[in-house]
Amino acid sequence: MLEAKHQAPIRLNDPTLWIDDSLVNDEWVALEQVPRFPVTNPATSEVIGTVSDMTVEHCREAIDRAHEAFKTFSKTTPQFRADLLQDFHQLVLANKEDLAKLVTLENGKSLTDSIAEVKYAASYLQWNSGEALRLYGRTIPSSLPGTRNWTQLEPVGVVAALCPWNFPIGMICRKVGPALAVGATVVIKVPAETPFSVLALIELARRAGVPPNVLQVVTTDTHLSAIGDELCTNKKIKKISFTGSTRVGKLLASKSSSTLKKLSMELGGNAPFIVFEDADLDAAVAGALASKFRGSGQTCVCANRLYVHESIHSVFAAKFAAAVDAMKVGNGLDEGTHLGPLIHEKAVAKCVEHVEDALKRGATVVTKQRPTPSRGAFFNPVVLADAPQDCLLTDEETFGPVAALIKFKTEDEVINLANDTDFGLAGYFFSRDAARIFRVADALETGMVGVNTGVISQAVIPFGGIKESGWGKEGGAEAILDFCKVKAVIVGGGK
């Protein structure tokens, strides 16, 4: 049986943030007689530590504890919760270097990307500290004589947060932030690939003063499906917030139908990135780099199909390829690294499949060949010019550092191509034509549109998609409603 190490494999400013125990009744404990599963550094293929492979029974106990904690936490004042989130926010920023190192160690992304993720995560805690004080109801003029109407917002109950490995800190804070703001408790299903950064984050939440059992953590690997079923069918869970693939999202939605839970689904994407003939090419190249290659291309809003007007295709391809060639590939902990490894070899195999398919259909590689690191799940970035519309990567989310440039002739043509997908999370385009900006922003069938920028996600905007990219919002004023019940109160007896 694998054993706990209790010592970080990397130097941390605060070594106590390396946690491989389980949180039970607000204490970190080693679960006796519970198997452990290994966590691997994708840059080296080395095991960095182990965590408990918790079972359905452990999950059920966590739900029960969160349910009991809800009875008191839901009665706390908005000011208390606002102060709590502000303290949590400050602790995350104060420990951003350690959190970033843990993210890079188990996820592989560059330390620069990890630092950016921690700051991004903290921004959701700060934003929701303000939202806690803005839980406004409404007074509604009555159509019945002698009555008064109003609405009030109440916490939804126990929330199940199922989070992905690509933004382990960011996605937790994006879900926990609004939950804590309204007075809900949360059971967090930790991604098996990246548990250590999440456990450190939860320890900071405890230090910030989050009351006992308000946040529950379930680590699992072999019991993932069974625990997912429990979260979907347990009547004490009132809402599920999921970030992940559309395939899994559909399964969770189906299983949750038995109890009609409230659902937020941030699912797969197939983002179009359009460069019109009147675009600022240098700005478009910078935007494409940011959108396509952040996290080595493993983001849900990543540009997946790059449409470039035929009149500028060659010039853009040359500029873009040169910029990609200048990016350093390596261990994310090494100074100067832009692109780290992919999360595992399956991700590498998908990138290989997409590139080989595009080449067979007439695409050409315009980036330079470079040696691949001898170990780890690495895939060197590739830019493909003259890619056809019918290749695999136009229909499937690559989730890796492969950028395919597809020519188009007219605005109407590219809008049709961009919308010809079952997904609708994000879309991007570059143009200096003011009238076109309004037309195309209206025409793209996505939940979010980036215009002359490749970076869109912020705590202050509603993040979410349409079509098979899911429903519900995280961020902005809209997100808080997904964690609330709206109650109408009608009072009679007036004169």
PDB file of all heavy atoms in Angstrom, residues 415-434:
ATOM      1  N   ILE A 415     -18.699  33.424 -40.778  1.00  0.00           N
ATOM      2  CA  ILE A 415     -19.698  33.343 -39.713  1.00  0.00           C
ATOM      3  C   ILE A 415     -20.380  31.975 -39.750  1.00  0.00           C
ATOM      4  O   ILE A 415     -20.580  31.328 -38.703  1.00  0.00           O
ATOM      5  CB  ILE A 415     -20.741  34.464 -39.840  1.00  0.00           C
ATOM      6  CG1 ILE A 415     -20.094  35.822 -39.563  1.00  0.00           C
ATOM      7  CG2 ILE A 415     -21.900  34.229 -38.874  1.00  0.00           C
ATOM      8  CD1 ILE A 415     -19.517  35.977 -38.188  1.00  0.00           C
ATOM      9  N   ASN A 416     -20.719  31.520 -40.937  1.00  0.00           N
ATOM     10  CA  ASN A 416     -21.338  30.198 -41.058  1.00  0.00           C
ATOM     11  C   ASN A 416     -20.395  29.093 -40.588  1.00  0.00           C
ATOM     12  O   ASN A 416     -20.810  28.144 -39.908  1.00  0.00           O
ATOM     13  CB  ASN A 416     -21.760  29.950 -42.505  1.00  0.00           C
ATOM     14  CG  ASN A 416     -22.964  30.780 -42.919  1.00  0.00           C
ATOM     15  OD1 ASN A 416     -23.802  31.122 -42.083  1.00  0.00           O
ATOM     16  ND2 ASN A 416     -23.052  31.118 -44.197  1.00  0.00           N
ATOM     17  N   LEU A 417     -19.116  29.200 -40.951  1.00  0.00           N
ATOM     18  CA  LEU A 417     -18.138  28.206 -40.519  1.00  0.00           C
ATOM     19  C   LEU A 417     -17.966  28.230 -39.002  1.00  0.00           C
ATOM     20  O   LEU A 417     -17.906  27.184 -38.344  1.00  0.00           O
ATOM     21  CB  LEU A 417     -16.792  28.459 -41.196  1.00  0.00           C
ATOM     22  CG  LEU A 417     -16.714  28.196 -42.699  1.00  0.00           C
ATOM     23  CD1 LEU A 417     -15.372  28.682 -43.257  1.00  0.00           C
ATOM     24  CD2 LEU A 417     -16.900  26.708 -42.998  1.00  0.00           C
ATOM     25  N   ALA A 418     -17.887  29.432 -38.439  1.00  0.00           N
ATOM     26  CA  ALA A 418     -17.677  29.574 -36.996  1.00  0.00           C
ATOM     27  C   ALA A 418     -18.842  28.981 -36.213  1.00  0.00           C
ATOM     28  O   ALA A 418     -18.645  28.357 -35.156  1.00  0.00           O
ATOM     29  CB  ALA A 418     -17.480  31.039 -36.632  1.00  0.00           C
ATOM     30  N   ASN A 419     -20.061  29.154 -36.730  1.00  0.00           N
ATOM     31  CA  ASN A 419     -21.246  28.684 -36.007  1.00  0.00           C
ATOM     32  C   ASN A 419     -21.602  27.228 -36.306  1.00  0.00           C
ATOM     33  O   ASN A 419     -22.516  26.677 -35.696  1.00  0.00           O
ATOM     34  CB  ASN A 419     -22.446  29.567 -36.351  1.00  0.00           C
ATOM     35  CG  ASN A 419     -22.329  30.961 -35.755  1.00  0.00           C
ATOM     36  OD1 ASN A 419     -21.600  31.174 -34.782  1.00  0.00           O
ATOM     37  ND2 ASN A 419     -23.027  31.920 -36.334  1.00  0.00           N
ATOM     38  N   ASP A 420     -20.878  26.608 -37.241  1.00  0.00           N
ATOM     39  CA  ASP A 420     -21.169  25.226 -37.630  1.00  0.00           C
ATOM     40  C   ASP A 420     -20.539  24.248 -36.636  1.00  0.00           C
ATOM     41  O   ASP A 420     -19.603  23.507 -36.944  1.00  0.00           O
ATOM     42  CB  ASP A 420     -20.649  24.959 -39.044  1.00  0.00           C
ATOM     43  CG  ASP A 420     -21.049  23.579 -39.549  1.00  0.00           C
ATOM     44  OD1 ASP A 420     -22.011  23.007 -39.000  1.00  0.00           O
ATOM     45  OD2 ASP A 420     -20.386  23.070 -40.479  1.00  0.00           O
ATOM     46  N   THR A 421     -21.030  24.250 -35.424  1.00  0.00           N
ATOM     47  CA  THR A 421     -20.537  23.398 -34.349  1.00  0.00           C
ATOM     48  C   THR A 421     -21.628  23.242 -33.313  1.00  0.00           C
ATOM     49  O   THR A 421     -22.517  24.102 -33.187  1.00  0.00           O
ATOM     50  CB  THR A 421     -19.273  24.012 -33.690  1.00  0.00           C
ATOM     51  OG1 THR A 421     -18.880  23.208 -32.569  1.00  0.00           O
ATOM     52  CG2 THR A 421     -19.523  25.428 -33.215  1.00  0.00           C
ATOM     53  N   ASP A 422     -21.574  22.151 -32.564  1.00  0.00           N
ATOM     54  CA  ASP A 422     -22.538  21.939 -31.484  1.00  0.00           C
ATOM     55  C   ASP A 422     -22.199  22.744 -30.241  1.00  0.00           C
ATOM     56  O   ASP A 422     -22.984  22.775 -29.289  1.00  0.00           O
ATOM     57  CB  ASP A 422     -22.588  20.451 -31.106  1.00  0.00           C
ATOM     58  CG  ASP A 422     -23.184  19.583 -32.201  1.00  0.00           C
ATOM     59  OD1 ASP A 422     -24.014  20.092 -32.968  1.00  0.00           O
ATOM     60  OD2 ASP A 422     -22.796  18.394 -32.286  1.00  0.00           O
ATOM     61  N   PHE A 423     -21.022  23.375 -30.238  1.00  0.00           N
ATOM     62  CA  PHE A 423     -20.541  24.060 -29.042  1.00  0.00           C
ATOM     63  C   PHE A 423     -20.648  25.573 -29.189  1.00  0.00           C
ATOM     64  O   PHE A 423     -20.666  26.105 -30.302  1.00  0.00           O
ATOM     65  CB  PHE A 423     -19.099  23.659 -28.747  1.00  0.00           C
ATOM     66  CG  PHE A 423     -18.936  22.177 -28.580  1.00  0.00           C
ATOM     67  CD1 PHE A 423     -18.520  21.372 -29.640  1.00  0.00           C
ATOM     68  CD2 PHE A 423     -19.232  21.569 -27.375  1.00  0.00           C
ATOM     69  CE1 PHE A 423     -18.394  20.003 -29.493  1.00  0.00           C
ATOM     70  CE2 PHE A 423     -19.106  20.197 -27.211  1.00  0.00           C
ATOM     71  CZ  PHE A 423     -18.699  19.408 -28.276  1.00  0.00           C
ATOM     72  N   GLY A 424     -20.675  26.268 -28.053  1.00  0.00           N
ATOM     73  CA  GLY A 424     -20.808  27.715 -28.100  1.00  0.00           C
ATOM     74  C   GLY A 424     -20.328  28.373 -26.820  1.00  0.00           C
ATOM     75  O   GLY A 424     -21.072  29.117 -26.176  1.00  0.00           O
ATOM     76  N   LEU A 425     -19.085  28.102 -26.455  1.00  0.00           N
ATOM     77  CA  LEU A 425     -18.552  28.706 -25.230  1.00  0.00           C
ATOM     78  C   LEU A 425     -17.980  30.091 -25.512  1.00  0.00           C
ATOM     79  O   LEU A 425     -18.467  31.089 -24.997  1.00  0.00           O
ATOM     80  CB  LEU A 425     -17.493  27.798 -24.605  1.00  0.00           C
ATOM     81  CG  LEU A 425     -16.947  28.245 -23.239  1.00  0.00           C
ATOM     82  CD1 LEU A 425     -18.069  28.418 -22.222  1.00  0.00           C
ATOM     83  CD2 LEU A 425     -15.911  27.237 -22.724  1.00  0.00           C
ATOM     84  N   ALA A 426     -16.919  30.149 -26.308  1.00  0.00           N
ATOM     85  CA  ALA A 426     -16.272  31.431 -26.593  1.00  0.00           C
ATOM     86  C   ALA A 426     -15.963  31.544 -28.074  1.00  0.00           C
ATOM     87  O   ALA A 426     -15.842  30.546 -28.794  1.00  0.00           O
ATOM     88  CB  ALA A 426     -14.989  31.582 -25.780  1.00  0.00           C
ATOM     89  N   GLY A 427     -15.825  32.775 -28.534  1.00  0.00           N
ATOM     90  CA  GLY A 427     -15.393  33.059 -29.893  1.00  0.00           C
ATOM     91  C   GLY A 427     -14.581  34.339 -29.892  1.00  0.00           C
ATOM     92  O   GLY A 427     -14.722  35.178 -28.988  1.00  0.00           O
ATOM     93  N   TYR A 428     -13.724  34.502 -30.891  1.00  0.00           N
ATOM     94  CA  TYR A 428     -12.838  35.666 -30.969  1.00  0.00           C
ATOM     95  C   TYR A 428     -12.788  36.161 -32.408  1.00  0.00           C
ATOM     96  O   TYR A 428     -12.875  35.370 -33.351  1.00  0.00           O
ATOM     97  CB  TYR A 428     -11.411  35.298 -30.538  1.00  0.00           C
ATOM     98  CG  TYR A 428     -11.292  34.592 -29.210  1.00  0.00           C
ATOM     99  CD1 TYR A 428     -11.460  33.211 -29.113  1.00  0.00           C
ATOM    100  CD2 TYR A 428     -11.003  35.302 -28.039  1.00  0.00           C
ATOM    101  CE1 TYR A 428     -11.343  32.550 -27.901  1.00  0.00           C
ATOM    102  CE2 TYR A 428     -10.889  34.653 -26.824  1.00  0.00           C
ATOM    103  CZ  TYR A 428     -11.056  33.269 -26.757  1.00  0.00           C
ATOM    104  OH  TYR A 428     -10.945  32.621 -25.554  1.00  0.00           O
ATOM    105  N   PHE A 429     -12.619  37.467 -32.567  1.00  0.00           N
ATOM    106  CA  PHE A 429     -12.303  37.982 -33.902  1.00  0.00           C
ATOM    107  C   PHE A 429     -11.558  39.299 -33.790  1.00  0.00           C
ATOM    108  O   PHE A 429     -11.652  40.020 -32.781  1.00  0.00           O
ATOM    109  CB  PHE A 429     -13.562  38.120 -34.770  1.00  0.00           C
ATOM    110  CG  PHE A 429     -14.526  39.200 -34.360  1.00  0.00           C
ATOM    111  CD1 PHE A 429     -14.457  40.474 -34.912  1.00  0.00           C
ATOM    112  CD2 PHE A 429     -15.539  38.931 -33.449  1.00  0.00           C
ATOM    113  CE1 PHE A 429     -15.364  41.468 -34.565  1.00  0.00           C
ATOM    114  CE2 PHE A 429     -16.453  39.912 -33.085  1.00  0.00           C
ATOM    115  CZ  PHE A 429     -16.370  41.182 -33.649  1.00  0.00           C
ATOM    116  N   PHE A 430     -10.797  39.580 -34.847  1.00  0.00           N
ATOM    117  CA  PHE A 430      -9.991  40.799 -34.914  1.00  0.00           C
ATOM    118  C   PHE A 430     -10.378  41.581 -36.155  1.00  0.00           C
ATOM    119  O   PHE A 430     -10.360  41.059 -37.275  1.00  0.00           O
ATOM    120  CB  PHE A 430      -8.494  40.456 -34.933  1.00  0.00           C
ATOM    121  CG  PHE A 430      -7.929  40.164 -33.562  1.00  0.00           C
ATOM    122  CD1 PHE A 430      -8.261  38.998 -32.902  1.00  0.00           C
ATOM    123  CD2 PHE A 430      -7.100  41.084 -32.928  1.00  0.00           C
ATOM    124  CE1 PHE A 430      -7.766  38.730 -31.635  1.00  0.00           C
ATOM    125  CE2 PHE A 430      -6.600  40.843 -31.657  1.00  0.00           C
ATOM    126  CZ  PHE A 430      -6.938  39.652 -31.001  1.00  0.00           C
ATOM    127  N   SER A 431     -10.742  42.835 -35.933  1.00  0.00           N
ATOM    128  CA  SER A 431     -11.138  43.727 -37.018  1.00  0.00           C
ATOM    129  C   SER A 431     -11.054  45.158 -36.526  1.00  0.00           C
ATOM    130  O   SER A 431     -11.264  45.424 -35.338  1.00  0.00           O
ATOM    131  CB  SER A 431     -12.569  43.410 -37.469  1.00  0.00           C
ATOM    132  OG  SER A 431     -13.027  44.372 -38.396  1.00  0.00           O
ATOM    133  N   ARG A 432     -10.761  46.093 -37.473  1.00  0.00           N
ATOM    134  CA  ARG A 432     -10.758  47.514 -37.126  1.00  0.00           C
ATOM    135  C   ARG A 432     -11.955  48.235 -37.715  1.00  0.00           C
ATOM    136  O   ARG A 432     -12.034  49.464 -37.666  1.00  0.00           O
ATOM    137  CB  ARG A 432      -9.443  48.155 -37.587  1.00  0.00           C
ATOM    138  CG  ARG A 432      -8.247  47.763 -36.737  1.00  0.00           C
ATOM    139  CD  ARG A 432      -6.964  48.456 -37.132  1.00  0.00           C
ATOM    140  NE  ARG A 432      -6.374  47.860 -38.321  1.00  0.00           N
ATOM    141  CZ  ARG A 432      -5.112  48.041 -38.710  1.00  0.00           C
ATOM    142  NH1 ARG A 432      -4.302  48.803 -37.982  1.00  0.00           N
ATOM    143  NH2 ARG A 432      -4.662  47.479 -39.804  1.00  0.00           N
ATOM    144  N   ASP A 433     -12.901  47.471 -38.265  1.00  0.00           N
ATOM    145  CA  ASP A 433     -14.111  48.030 -38.865  1.00  0.00           C
ATOM    146  C   ASP A 433     -15.199  48.078 -37.791  1.00  0.00           C
ATOM    147  O   ASP A 433     -15.678  47.042 -37.326  1.00  0.00           O
ATOM    148  CB  ASP A 433     -14.536  47.146 -40.036  1.00  0.00           C
ATOM    149  CG  ASP A 433     -15.760  47.683 -40.777  1.00  0.00           C
ATOM    150  OD1 ASP A 433     -16.647  48.267 -40.131  1.00  0.00           O
ATOM    151  OD2 ASP A 433     -15.833  47.487 -42.013  1.00  0.00           O
ATOM    152  N   ALA A 434     -15.596  49.285 -37.399  1.00  0.00           N
ATOM    153  CA  ALA A 434     -16.551  49.444 -36.300  1.00  0.00           C
ATOM    154  C   ALA A 434     -17.880  48.769 -36.602  1.00  0.00           C
ATOM    155  O   ALA A 434     -18.467  48.093 -35.732  1.00  0.00           O
ATOM    156  CB  ALA A 434     -16.763  50.924 -35.998  1.00  0.00           C
TER     157      ALA A 434
END
